[in-house]
CSV table of all heavy atoms in Angstrom, one decimal:
chain,number,residue,atom,x,y,z
A,81,SER,N,28.0,195.2,-105.7
A,81,SER,CA,26.8,195.3,-106.4
A,81,SER,C,25.6,195.7,-105.3
A,81,SER,O,25.6,195.3,-104.2
A,81,SER,CB,26.2,194.0,-106.9
A,81,SER,OG,25.2,194.1,-107.9
A,82,PRO,N,24.7,196.6,-105.6
A,82,PRO,CA,23.8,197.2,-104.7
A,82,PRO,C,23.0,196.1,-103.9
A,82,PRO,O,22.4,195.2,-104.5
A,82,PRO,CB,22.8,198.2,-105.4
A,82,PRO,CG,23.7,198.5,-106.7
A,82,PRO,CD,24.6,197.3,-106.9
A,83,LYS,N,23.0,196.2,-102.6
A,83,LYS,CA,22.4,195.2,-101.7
A,83,LYS,C,21.0,195.1,-102.0
A,83,LYS,O,20.4,194.0,-101.9
A,83,LYS,CB,22.6,195.5,-100.2
A,83,LYS,CG,24.0,195.2,-99.8
A,83,LYS,CD,24.2,195.4,-98.3
A,83,LYS,CE,25.7,195.1,-98.0
A,83,LYS,NZ,25.9,195.3,-96.5
A,84,GLY,N,20.2,196.2,-102.2
A,84,GLY,CA,18.8,196.0,-102.5
A,84,GLY,C,18.4,195.6,-103.7
A,84,GLY,O,17.2,195.6,-104.1
A,85,ARG,N,19.3,195.1,-104.6
A,85,ARG,CA,19.0,194.7,-105.9
A,85,ARG,C,19.7,193.4,-106.3
A,85,ARG,O,19.9,193.0,-107.4
A,85,ARG,CB,19.5,195.6,-107.0
A,85,ARG,CG,18.8,197.0,-106.9
A,85,ARG,CD,19.1,198.0,-108.0
A,85,ARG,NE,19.6,199.2,-107.5
A,85,ARG,CZ,20.5,200.0,-108.0
A,85,ARG,NH1,21.1,199.6,-109.1
A,85,ARG,NH2,20.8,201.1,-107.5
A,86,ARG,N,20.1,192.6,-105.2
A,86,ARG,CA,20.6,191.2,-105.4
A,86,ARG,C,19.6,190.1,-105.3
A,86,ARG,O,18.4,190.4,-105.1
A,86,ARG,CB,21.7,191.0,-104.3
A,86,ARG,CG,22.9,192.0,-104.3
A,86,ARG,CD,23.9,191.6,-103.3
A,86,ARG,NE,24.9,192.7,-103.2
A,86,ARG,CZ,25.7,192.9,-102.3
A,86,ARG,NH1,25.7,191.9,-101.3
A,86,ARG,NH2,26.5,193.9,-102.2
A,87,SER,N,20.0,189.0,-105.7
A,87,SER,CA,19.2,187.7,-105.8
A,87,SER,C,18.1,187.9,-106.7
A,87,SER,O,16.9,187.6,-106.4
A,87,SER,CB,18.6,187.4,-104.4
A,87,SER,OG,19.7,187.1,-103.4
A,88,THR,N,18.4,188.4,-108.0
A,88,THR,CA,17.4,188.5,-109.0
A,88,THR,C,17.8,187.7,-110.1
A,88,THR,O,19.0,187.6,-110.5
A,88,THR,CB,17.3,190.0,-109.4
A,88,THR,OG1,18.5,190.5,-109.9
A,88,THR,CG2,16.8,190.9,-108.2
A,89,CYS,N,16.8,187.1,-110.8
A,89,CYS,CA,17.0,186.6,-112.2
A,89,CYS,C,17.3,187.7,-113.1
A,89,CYS,O,17.0,189.0,-112.8
A,89,CYS,CB,15.9,185.8,-112.6
A,89,CYS,SG,15.6,184.3,-111.7
A,90,TYR,N,17.7,187.5,-114.4
A,90,TYR,CA,18.0,188.6,-115.2
A,90,TYR,C,16.6,189.2,-115.8
A,90,TYR,O,16.6,190.5,-115.6
A,90,TYR,CB,18.7,188.1,-116.5
A,90,TYR,CG,19.0,189.1,-117.6
A,90,TYR,CD1,19.9,190.2,-117.3
A,90,TYR,CD2,18.2,189.1,-118.7
A,90,TYR,CE1,20.1,191.1,-118.2
A,90,TYR,CE2,18.4,190.1,-119.6
A,90,TYR,CZ,19.3,191.1,-119.4
A,90,TYR,OH,19.4,192.1,-120.3
A,91,ASP,N,15.7,188.5,-116.1
A,91,ASP,CA,14.4,189.1,-116.6
A,91,ASP,C,13.2,188.2,-116.3
A,91,ASP,O,13.3,187.2,-115.7
A,91,ASP,CB,14.5,189.4,-118.2
A,91,ASP,CG,14.7,188.1,-119.0
A,91,ASP,OD1,14.5,186.9,-118.4
A,91,ASP,OD2,15.0,188.2,-120.3
A,94,GLY,N,13.3,184.7,-117.6
A,94,GLY,CA,14.2,183.8,-116.8
A,94,GLY,C,13.5,183.4,-115.4
A,94,GLY,O,13.6,182.4,-115.0
A,95,LEU,N,12.9,184.4,-114.9
A,95,LEU,CA,12.2,184.2,-113.5
A,95,LEU,C,11.1,183.1,-113.7
A,95,LEU,O,11.0,182.2,-112.9
A,95,LEU,CB,11.7,185.5,-113.0
A,95,LEU,CG,10.9,185.4,-111.8
A,95,LEU,CD1,11.8,185.0,-110.5
A,95,LEU,CD2,10.3,186.8,-111.3
A,98,ARG,N,11.9,179.4,-114.0
A,98,ARG,CA,12.4,178.7,-112.7
A,98,ARG,C,11.2,177.7,-112.2
A,98,ARG,O,10.2,178.3,-112.0
A,98,ARG,CB,12.9,179.6,-111.6
A,98,ARG,CG,14.2,180.2,-112.0
A,98,ARG,CD,14.8,181.0,-110.8
A,98,ARG,NE,15.2,179.9,-109.8
A,98,ARG,CZ,16.4,179.2,-109.8
A,98,ARG,NH1,17.2,179.5,-110.7
A,98,ARG,NH2,16.6,178.4,-108.8
A,102,LYS,N,12.2,180.4,-106.6
A,102,LYS,CA,12.1,181.6,-107.4
A,102,LYS,C,12.4,182.8,-106.4
A,102,LYS,O,11.9,182.9,-105.4
A,102,LYS,CB,10.7,181.8,-108.0
A,102,LYS,CG,10.4,180.7,-109.1
A,102,LYS,CD,9.0,181.1,-109.7
A,102,LYS,CE,8.8,180.2,-110.8
A,102,LYS,NZ,7.7,180.6,-111.7
A,103,PRO,N,13.2,183.7,-106.9
A,103,PRO,CA,13.6,184.9,-106.2
A,103,PRO,C,12.3,185.8,-106.4
A,103,PRO,O,11.4,185.7,-107.1
A,103,PRO,CB,14.7,185.5,-106.9
A,103,PRO,CG,14.7,185.0,-108.3
A,103,PRO,CD,14.1,183.7,-108.2
A,104,ALA,N,12.3,186.9,-105.6
A,104,ALA,CA,11.1,187.8,-105.6
A,104,ALA,C,11.1,188.7,-106.9
A,104,ALA,O,9.9,189.1,-107.1
A,104,ALA,CB,11.3,188.8,-104.3
A,105,HIS,N,12.2,188.9,-107.5
A,105,HIS,CA,12.1,189.8,-108.6
A,105,HIS,C,13.2,189.5,-109.7
A,105,HIS,O,14.0,188.6,-109.6
A,105,HIS,CB,12.5,191.3,-108.0
A,105,HIS,CG,11.6,192.3,-108.8
A,105,HIS,ND1,11.2,192.4,-110.0
A,105,HIS,CD2,11.0,193.4,-108.2
A,105,HIS,CE1,10.5,193.4,-110.2
A,105,HIS,NE2,10.3,194.1,-109.1
A,106,ASN,N,13.1,190.3,-110.8
A,106,ASN,CA,14.1,190.2,-111.8
A,106,ASN,C,14.7,191.6,-112.1
A,106,ASN,O,14.0,192.5,-111.9
A,106,ASN,CB,13.6,189.5,-113.1
A,106,ASN,CG,12.5,190.5,-113.8
A,106,ASN,OD1,13.0,191.3,-114.6
A,106,ASN,ND2,11.2,190.2,-113.6
A,107,ALA,N,16.0,191.6,-112.6
A,107,ALA,CA,16.7,192.8,-112.8
A,107,ALA,C,16.0,193.7,-113.8
A,107,ALA,O,15.9,195.0,-113.5
A,107,ALA,CB,18.1,192.5,-113.2
A,108,ILE,N,15.6,193.3,-114.9
A,108,ILE,CA,15.1,194.2,-116.0
A,108,ILE,C,13.8,194.8,-115.6
A,108,ILE,O,13.7,196.1,-115.7
A,108,ILE,CB,14.8,193.3,-117.3
A,108,ILE,CG1,16.1,192.8,-117.9
A,108,ILE,CG2,14.1,194.1,-118.3
A,108,ILE,CD1,17.1,193.9,-118.4
A,109,ASP,N,12.9,194.1,-114.9
A,109,ASP,CA,11.6,194.8,-114.5
A,109,ASP,C,11.9,195.7,-113.4
A,109,ASP,O,11.3,196.8,-113.2
A,109,ASP,CB,10.5,193.8,-114.1
A,109,ASP,CG,10.1,193.1,-115.4
A,109,ASP,OD1,10.2,193.5,-116.6
A,109,ASP,OD2,9.4,191.9,-115.3
A,110,MET,N,12.8,195.3,-112.5
A,110,MET,CA,13.1,196.1,-111.3
A,110,MET,C,13.6,197.5,-111.8
A,110,MET,O,13.2,198.5,-111.3
A,110,MET,CB,14.1,195.4,-110.3
A,110,MET,CG,14.2,196.0,-109.0
A,110,MET,SD,15.2,195.0,-108.0
A,110,MET,CE,15.1,195.8,-106.4
A,111,ALA,N,14.7,197.4,-112.7
A,111,ALA,CA,15.2,198.7,-113.2
A,111,ALA,C,14.1,199.6,-113.9
A,111,ALA,O,14.0,200.7,-113.7
A,111,ALA,CB,16.3,198.3,-114.2
A,118,LEU,N,19.9,198.9,-116.8
A,118,LEU,CA,21.2,198.1,-116.5
A,118,LEU,C,22.4,198.7,-117.3
A,118,LEU,O,22.1,199.2,-118.4
A,118,LEU,CB,21.0,196.7,-116.8
A,118,LEU,CG,20.4,195.8,-115.8
A,118,LEU,CD1,18.9,196.1,-115.5
A,118,LEU,CD2,20.5,194.3,-116.2
A,138,SER,N,28.9,190.3,-108.2
A,138,SER,CA,28.7,190.4,-109.7
A,138,SER,C,27.5,191.2,-110.0
A,138,SER,O,26.6,191.3,-109.2
A,138,SER,CB,28.9,189.1,-110.4
A,138,SER,OG,27.8,188.3,-110.0
A,139,SER,N,27.5,191.7,-111.3
A,139,SER,CA,26.3,192.5,-111.6
A,139,SER,C,25.9,192.1,-113.0
A,139,SER,O,26.6,192.2,-114.0
A,139,SER,CB,26.8,194.0,-111.6
A,139,SER,OG,27.0,194.5,-110.4
A,140,TRP,N,24.5,191.9,-113.1
A,140,TRP,CA,23.9,191.7,-114.4
A,140,TRP,C,24.2,192.9,-115.3
A,140,TRP,O,24.1,194.0,-114.7
A,140,TRP,CB,22.5,191.5,-114.2
A,140,TRP,CG,21.9,190.2,-113.7
A,140,TRP,CD1,21.2,190.0,-112.4
A,140,TRP,CD2,22.1,188.9,-114.3
A,140,TRP,NE1,20.9,188.7,-112.4
A,140,TRP,CE2,21.5,188.0,-113.4
A,140,TRP,CE3,22.7,188.4,-115.4
A,140,TRP,CZ2,21.4,186.5,-113.6
A,140,TRP,CZ3,22.6,187.0,-115.6
A,140,TRP,CH2,22.0,186.1,-114.8
A,168,ASN,N,25.6,183.5,-117.9
A,168,ASN,CA,25.0,182.5,-117.1
A,168,ASN,C,23.6,182.3,-117.8
A,168,ASN,O,23.2,183.2,-118.5
A,168,ASN,CB,24.6,183.1,-115.6
A,168,ASN,CG,25.0,182.1,-114.6
A,168,ASN,OD1,25.2,182.4,-113.4
A,168,ASN,ND2,25.3,180.8,-114.9
A,169,GLY,N,22.9,181.4,-117.3
A,169,GLY,CA,21.4,181.3,-117.8
A,169,GLY,C,20.6,182.5,-117.2
A,169,GLY,O,20.9,182.9,-116.0
A,170,ALA,N,19.7,183.0,-117.9
A,170,ALA,CA,18.9,184.2,-117.3
A,170,ALA,C,18.1,183.8,-116.1
A,170,ALA,O,17.7,184.7,-115.4
A,170,ALA,CB,18.1,184.8,-118.5
A,171,GLN,N,17.8,182.6,-116.0
A,171,GLN,CA,17.0,182.2,-114.9
A,171,GLN,C,17.9,182.0,-113.6
A,171,GLN,O,17.2,181.9,-112.4
A,171,GLN,CB,16.3,180.8,-115.1
A,171,GLN,CG,17.2,179.6,-115.1
A,171,GLN,CD,18.2,179.4,-116.2
A,171,GLN,OE1,18.2,180.2,-117.2
A,171,GLN,NE2,19.0,178.4,-116.2
A,172,SER,N,19.2,182.1,-113.6
A,172,SER,CA,20.1,181.9,-112.5
A,172,SER,C,19.9,183.1,-111.5
A,172,SER,O,19.6,184.3,-112.1
A,172,SER,CB,21.5,181.6,-112.8
A,172,SER,OG,22.0,182.8,-113.5
A,173,TYR,N,20.2,183.0,-110.3
A,173,TYR,CA,20.4,184.0,-109.4
A,173,TYR,C,21.2,183.6,-108.2
A,173,TYR,O,21.3,182.5,-107.9
A,173,TYR,CB,19.0,184.6,-108.9
A,173,TYR,CG,18.3,183.7,-107.9
A,173,TYR,CD1,18.4,184.0,-106.5
A,173,TYR,CD2,17.5,182.6,-108.3
A,173,TYR,CE1,17.8,183.1,-105.6
A,173,TYR,CE2,16.8,181.8,-107.4
A,173,TYR,CZ,17.0,182.0,-106.0
A,173,TYR,OH,16.4,181.3,-105.2
A,174,TYR,N,21.9,184.6,-107.7
A,174,TYR,CA,22.9,184.4,-106.5
A,174,TYR,C,22.7,185.5,-105.6
A,174,TYR,O,22.5,186.6,-106.0
A,174,TYR,CB,24.3,184.4,-107.1
A,174,TYR,CG,24.5,183.2,-108.0
A,174,TYR,CD1,24.4,183.5,-109.5
A,174,TYR,CD2,24.8,181.9,-107.7
A,174,TYR,CE1,24.5,182.5,-110.4
A,174,TYR,CE2,24.9,180.9,-108.6
A,174,TYR,CZ,24.8,181.1,-110.0
A,174,TYR,OH,25.0,180.2,-110.9
A,175,GLY,N,23.0,185.1,-104.3
A,175,GLY,CA,22.9,186.2,-103.2
A,175,GLY,C,23.9,187.3,-103.5
A,175,GLY,O,23.7,188.4,-102.9
A,176,SER,N,24.9,187.1,-104.2
A,176,SER,CA,26.0,188.0,-104.4
A,176,SER,C,25.9,188.7,-105.8
A,176,SER,O,26.8,189.5,-106.2
A,176,SER,CB,27.4,187.4,-104.3
A,176,SER,OG,27.6,186.4,-105.2
A,177,ARG,N,24.9,188.4,-106.5
A,177,ARG,CA,24.7,189.0,-107.8
A,177,ARG,C,23.5,189.9,-107.9
A,177,ARG,O,22.3,189.5,-107.6
A,177,ARG,CB,24.6,188.0,-109.1
A,177,ARG,CG,24.4,188.7,-110.4
A,177,ARG,CD,24.5,187.8,-111.6
A,177,ARG,NE,25.7,187.1,-111.5
A,177,ARG,CZ,25.7,185.8,-112.0
A,177,ARG,NH1,24.7,185.3,-112.6
A,177,ARG,NH2,26.8,185.1,-111.9
A,178,GLY,N,23.7,191.2,-108.2
A,178,GLY,CA,22.7,192.1,-108.4
A,178,GLY,C,22.8,192.8,-109.7
A,178,GLY,O,23.2,192.2,-110.7
A,179,PHE,N,22.4,194.1,-109.8
A,179,PHE,CA,22.6,194.8,-111.1
A,179,PHE,C,23.0,196.2,-110.8
A,179,PHE,O,22.6,196.8,-109.8
A,179,PHE,CB,21.4,194.6,-112.0
A,179,PHE,CG,20.2,195.5,-111.6
A,179,PHE,CD1,20.0,196.8,-111.9
A,179,PHE,CD2,19.2,194.9,-110.7
A,179,PHE,CE1,18.8,197.5,-111.6
A,179,PHE,CE2,18.1,195.4,-110.4
A,179,PHE,CZ,17.9,196.8,-110.7
A,180,ARG,N,23.9,196.8,-111.7
A,180,ARG,CA,24.3,198.1,-111.5
A,180,ARG,C,23.5,198.9,-112.6
A,180,ARG,O,23.2,198.2,-113.8
A,180,ARG,CB,25.7,198.3,-111.8
A,180,ARG,CG,26.6,197.9,-110.6
A,180,ARG,CD,28.1,198.1,-110.9
A,180,ARG,NE,28.8,197.5,-109.8
A,180,ARG,CZ,29.0,198.3,-108.6
A,180,ARG,NH1,28.6,199.6,-108.5
A,180,ARG,NH2,29.6,197.7,-107.7
Side-chain angles (χ1 to χ4, degrees):
S81 196
K83 287 184 180 181
R85 297 187 233 148
R86 294 185 194 167
S87 296
T88 61
C89 293
Y90 178 73
D91 60 11
L95 178 64
R98 289 195 65 86
K102 291 185 179 192
H105 221 320
N106 71 81
I108 294 294
D109 288 344
M110 190 175 190
L118 270 68
S138 61
S139 295
W140 287 117
N168 227 167
Q171 77 285 358
S172 67
Y173 73 96
Y174 300 92
S176 63
R177 182 171 306 146
F179 70 90
R180 290 182 180 275

